Structures are given as structure tokens and as C-alpha cells.
């Protein structure tokens, strides 16, 4: 992915687009699952008001935080992974 001053090829642009899409979709899924796991009991059961409010607020804080962390982690890992030296071949260290 290192194009020192050069233009990216169509394959590199496509790879970046796919990775961004994967990062966003997997982060949204993880955030929704976390929100449901934390705030779900407050929505399903009749809990005391304080417990219900704290569960929902905790879920609403941790869900978006997980979303951001997941997107950044996937994109940083993609950037560090690099690409094989020749198209269709794996790099020697894989």
C-alpha cells in the first residue's frame, strides 16, 4: 500500500474500499451486540429505575466507543499488513 508519491492502482483502491466497508460493518455489528447485551435486560425486564437508566446509558456510551475502536483497529491492521509483492502470490512471511 505504500505508494511513495505514485498513484494507487485500481486494485489498491478496491482493496481499501472493501476494507473500509468491512471495518464499518463489523464495527456496527459489534456495537449493536454490545448495546443489546448491556441495555437489553433493562428493556426486557422490569428493573428499578436507577438500574435501568444506568444500563441504558452505559450501553449508549460503550457501543459507540466500541464502534470507533473496531474501525480504527481494522484499518490500522490493514495498513500494517501490506500487500504481497506479486499479484496472486503470497508474501514470503505469510
Amino acid at each position: 500500500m505504500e505508494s511513495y508519491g505514485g498513484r494507487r492502482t485500481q486494485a489498491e483502491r478496491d482493496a481499501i474500499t472493501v476494507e473500509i466497508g468491512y471495518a464499518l460493518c463489523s464495527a456496527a455489528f459489534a456495537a449493536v451486540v454490545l448495546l443489546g447485551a448491556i441495555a437489553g435486560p433493562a428493556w426486557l425486564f422490569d428493573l428499578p429505575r436507577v438500574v435501568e437508566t444506568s444500563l441504558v446509558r452505559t450501553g449508549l456510551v460503550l457501543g459507540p466507543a466500541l464502534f470507533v475502536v473496531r474501525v480504527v483497529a481494522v484499518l490500522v491492521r490493514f495498513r500494517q499488513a501490506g500487500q504481497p509483492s506479486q499479484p496472486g502470490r503470497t508474501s514470503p512471511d505469510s
Side-chain angles (χ1 to χ4, degrees), residues 7-8 20 29 31 34 46-47 54-55 60 66 79 85:
R7 295 185 57 143
R8 289 190 174 112
I20 290 170
F29 178 76
L34 181 75
D46 189 24
L47 299 174
S54 64
L55 285 175
L60 289 174
L66 176 65
R79 186 173 187 186
S85 57

Side-chain angles (χ1 to χ4, degrees), residues 18-76:
V18 168
E19 198 65 22
I20 290 170
Y22 168 73
L24 292 173
C25 289
S26 68
F29 178 76
V32 167
V33 168
L34 181 75
L35 176 64
I38 293 175
W43 293 327
L44 292 175
F45 304 114
D46 189 24
L47 299 174
R49 185 93 169 159
V50 174
V51 174
E52 184 176 324
T53 303
S54 64
L55 285 175
V56 171
R57 286 185 182 169
T58 302
L60 289 174
V61 169
L62 292 180
L66 176 65
F67 179 86
V68 171
V69 169
R70 175 70 180 160
V71 168
V72 169
V74 168
L75 295 180
V76 166

